[in-house]
Amino acid sequence: MGSARLYAAVAAGGFRRYATYRVATAAGVFTNTVFGLILVYAYLALWDERPHLGGYDQAQAVTYVWLGQALFATLAIQGGGFEAELMERIRTGEVAVDLYRPADLQLWWLASDVGRASFQLLGRGVVPFAFGALFFPTALPDDPVLWAALLVAIGLAMVVSYGIRFLVALSGFWLLDGTGALQVLMVTGMFFSGMALPLNAFPQPLGDLVMLLPWSALLQMPADVLMGRVDPWSAFAFQAGWAVVLLAVGRWAQGAATRRVVVQGG
């Protein structure tokens, strides 16, 4: 119970930390709305030429765009979460202090990132999504069960996203400079998550391959759950499976790094 209260407090602290950046949040809302408009009109033109591309009609494609804008910062799809800070702490040796805390390094940063993601969903994600639903034809369900399933899918996506970024951050134990790893994170996040184009619209066999990767748990699965295109339980199982795998690999990498690697600067 004590550990649960500790990590709940860390999550609450992460929420409050990002809630203080009100101007940045407002700028993020504006940016996501503008990019949503650009993508929507691009998608409408594409779906005019290729009706039912990827099995979506135009309303579903528009829904996909606005959900993507709601989750872009929430899931730190191109980075922007804790990973750069942790890599800097590894570079300077400050991570040694983290390792001496009476708390697990992986769970500490997970709790902090869940707090950050929760704020970004509420503070930066809701407005663009509501704007899109108000001014464009969307395929939003009337069934409250699907909305509840969407929240579960987003929660699991937060953990999968954290697992990917935690591994990227741990690469700082072996790399002199984490800039390259962060840039790879940006590219893979944009391409493999389906932020640029739904994964089910990719040509085959590439489409089948990317649907098996963990990035598909970030946007594609929540979108298909919301629009009733996939059984929620199978989506949850896929997301939870990748969450377990990534956290397990992250645990192994953390142990290997702290046992055998000399912290830079520490």
Side-chain angles (χ1 to χ4, degrees):
M1 291 296 294
S3 296
R5 286 196 298 269
L6 169 63
Y7 296 120
V10 172
F15 187 99
R16 289 194 302 270
R17 174 184 177 184
Y18 280 84
T20 60
Y21 301 113
R22 297 173 185 174
V23 175
T25 299
V29 169
F30 176 78
T31 300
N32 285 125
T33 303
V34 170
F35 274 100
L37 288 170
I38 294 170
L39 281 175
V40 160
Y41 285 111
Y43 275 34
L44 289 175
L46 177 59
W47 260 258
D48 276 338
E49 295 295 324
R50 296 284 304 276
H52 301 288
L53 177 64
Y56 286 167
D57 59 26
Q58 279 193 338
Q60 290 173 321
V62 169
T63 303
Y64 183 93
V65 168
W66 290 113
L67 182 62
Q69 293 307 305
L71 297 182
F72 181 78
T74 300
L75 303 179
I77 288 177
Q78 285 195 287
F82 72 96
E83 58 280 355
E85 181 180 353
L86 179 53
M87 292 183 90
E88 179 63 15
R89 293 183 69 83
I90 292 171
R91 187 189 68 81
T92 61
E94 292 177 272
V95 71
V97 177
D98 301 335
L99 294 171
Y100 274 107
R101 287 175 180 160
D104 180 76
L105 181 72
Q106 187 183 47
L107 293 179
W108 176 282
W109 287 102
L110 173 59
S112 178
D113 197 59
V114 167
R116 176 206 60 81
S118 299
F119 172 77
Q120 296 286 29
L121 178 63
L122 297 174
R124 186 169 168 175
V126 171
V127 173
F129 187 79
F131 175 87
L134 183 63
F135 291 102
F136 292 90
T138 54
L140 299 179
D142 297 324
D143 188 354
V145 173
L146 287 180
W147 288 100
L150 172 65
L151 293 178
V152 175
I154 291 174
L156 290 169
M158 289 179 183
V159 181
V160 174
S161 172
Y162 169 80
I164 294 170
R165 289 177 290 119
F166 186 68
L167 286 171
V168 171
L170 289 184
S171 69
F173 278 105
W174 289 273
L175 302 175
L176 294 177
D177 186 351
T179 303
L182 293 175
Q183 290 176 340
V184 170
L185 175 66
M186 291 178 61
V187 174
T188 55
M190 176 59 74
F191 184 78
F192 290 120
S193 71
M195 182 59 65
L197 187 69
L199 300 182
N200 52 21
F202 279 32
Q204 299 301 334
L206 179 61
D208 289 336
L209 174 62
V210 294
M211 286 292 289
L212 296 176
L213 300 177
W215 288 274
S216 66
L218 303 186
L219 174 55
Q220 189 70 55
M221 287 298 165
D224 285 342
V225 165
L226 176 64
M227 293 184 284
R229 289 178 47 86
V230 66
D231 175 57
W233 291 106
S234 65
F236 298 161
F238 177 83
Q239 290 177 299
W242 269 116
V244 170
V245 169
L246 290 168
L247 291 177
V249 174
R251 173 69 60 181
W252 171 83
Q254 175 184 319
T258 54
R259 283 197 307 269
R260 300 184 182 182
V261 177
V262 176
V263 177
Q264 301 172 47

